[in-house]
Amino acid sequence: MNTALRRYAEIRKIPGLTSLLLVGVVARLGTGMTPLSLLLLVEGATGRYAYASLAVGLYALAGVSMSPVIGRLADRLGPSPVLLGAAFAHGAALTVLALTAGGSSAFPVICTMAATAGASYPPLTPAIRGACNRLTEPRTGWGGLRGTALAADTALYEFVFVVGPLLVGVFGVVATPAVAIAAAAGVTLAGTTVMACGAVMRAQRPHPSHVRTSGLGPLRLSGFAVLLGCVGALGVGFGAVSVAVPAYATERSVHDSTGLAGLLLAVWGLGSGLGGLWYGAWPPRSPLSRQLAWLLGGVSLSLAALAVMPDPTALGLALALGGGVIAPCLTVYISLVGRIVPPSMLTEAHTWIATVPVAANAVGGATAGAIVDGPGGVTWAFVMAGTVVAIAAVTAAWPSGPIIRADSEAEEATSAGATGDTSRPCDQL
């Protein structure tokens, strides 16, 4: 226990890291509020989860379409101006959505503004993770704490999905989902502004022009592309669960399904956050690629197990226990990105890693939305979620696959750097 606490005490000494992580929680709180608020807003207006999932899907797909472009701009211009511009555009779109949600043409307006809000979401998570990588570069003397720093960010980020759904549940009782969306706009704008104006973000300078990313950028790295596919599979699974759990709550709770859904999703996030803190304190010594395969397998089993839970109490317990492997899995694939992607395209790579799951989440949510409207649909939605992630686990475990090869090549490059050979073939991409 003392060793574990010592690692977290050490990362507090990294200049600027603590304030960055804490402000990052506030700035990203809207991530845990907006999708559920939007889902409940449209379901309440139309009475159909299929329509609600469509609106959430438009929000997510618009985000994944534009976020890599925004991430590349952040690599070239520096993160601060890009974060500020996106935050104001995103906040304005959510505000208009909240103000017009009750009109006679509410659904078309919601879909339009949801897409606009998704397209303009600031690249908060990529910027934070890129900053964590830069603050723990070997030349800083903090390189040995990179895994713990990323685990801390992942665990804190998971608590966004605890507090966010709980707040939506509170707004569902005392106000409306539209008010929750407006609140999400406010916290995103305020938190992003503070972060963008902070010393850590302002200290990051654009990369030299001769290493600027062009074309497909990090997507040309086979290891990264396959890793991105595994991350997308996780997103599909999580999206399916995020729709199946509210549908489960609607089936089992007559008076307060919104509150029950928020509580169940919050318990899921709490389990993930605690699992992330555990992983940061006692990180395994096995290769990251091997850890990824085992953790994806654990996530798959935890999602499939939800299909056989007989009541909300059992489902909540299964979500809490299963959530314990989620944040460690996220930490591992984020760490892999830092190992296999050149610094000149790191923010863009983290943008792909942050936004592809959002789009995949939309696909999983839309699919689950269609499934849960049918007989026994909630059970089949959970089974579908576990199956998709199981395929990703098998892909990551492939002995001669791109992920394992990329991890091995990164290890060789690290060893060569320690002996003075710092060349990296992928630096010229």
Side-chain angles (χ1 to χ4, degrees), residues 139 181 192 245 295:
R139 60 183 176 81
I181 290 175
T192 305
V245 167
L295 288 167

Side-chain angles (χ1 to χ4, degrees), residues 29 39 51 66 70 79 101 116 123 145 162 185 198 201 207 215 231 238 243 245 264 270 277 329 338 356 373 407 426:
L29 190 58
L39 183 78
Y51 292 155
M66 288 303 299
I70 297 175
T116 304
L145 293 173
V162 177
M201 289 299 167
H207 292 290
V231 172
F238 296 159
V243 171
V245 167
L264 289 171
L270 178 62
L277 291 174
C329 188
V356 163
D373 282 336
D407 191 24
C426 57

Side-chain angles (χ1 to χ4, degrees), residues 62-63 66-67 70 82-83 85-94 115-123:
M66 288 303 299
S67 289
I70 297 175
V82 175
L83 285 170
F88 278 98
H90 178 76
L94 286 184
T116 304
S120 58
Y121 187 78

Side-chain angles (χ1 to χ4, degrees), residues 268-315:
W268 195 30
L270 178 62
S272 179
L274 293 176
L277 291 174
W278 177 89
Y279 179 87
W282 292 283
R285 297 184 180 274
S286 59
L288 289 174
S289 53
R290 186 178 302 170
Q291 294 181 44
L292 179 66
W294 281 107
L295 288 167
L296 283 170
V299 173
S300 170
L301 290 174
S302 74
L303 299 185
L306 301 177
V308 297
M309 295 300 108
D311 54 55
T313 301
L315 184 67

Side-chain angles (χ1 to χ4, degrees), residues 210-222:
H210 69 278
V211 294
R212 284 186 174 179
T213 309
S214 61
L216 295 176
L219 295 180
R220 286 181 286 180
L221 306 174
S222 62

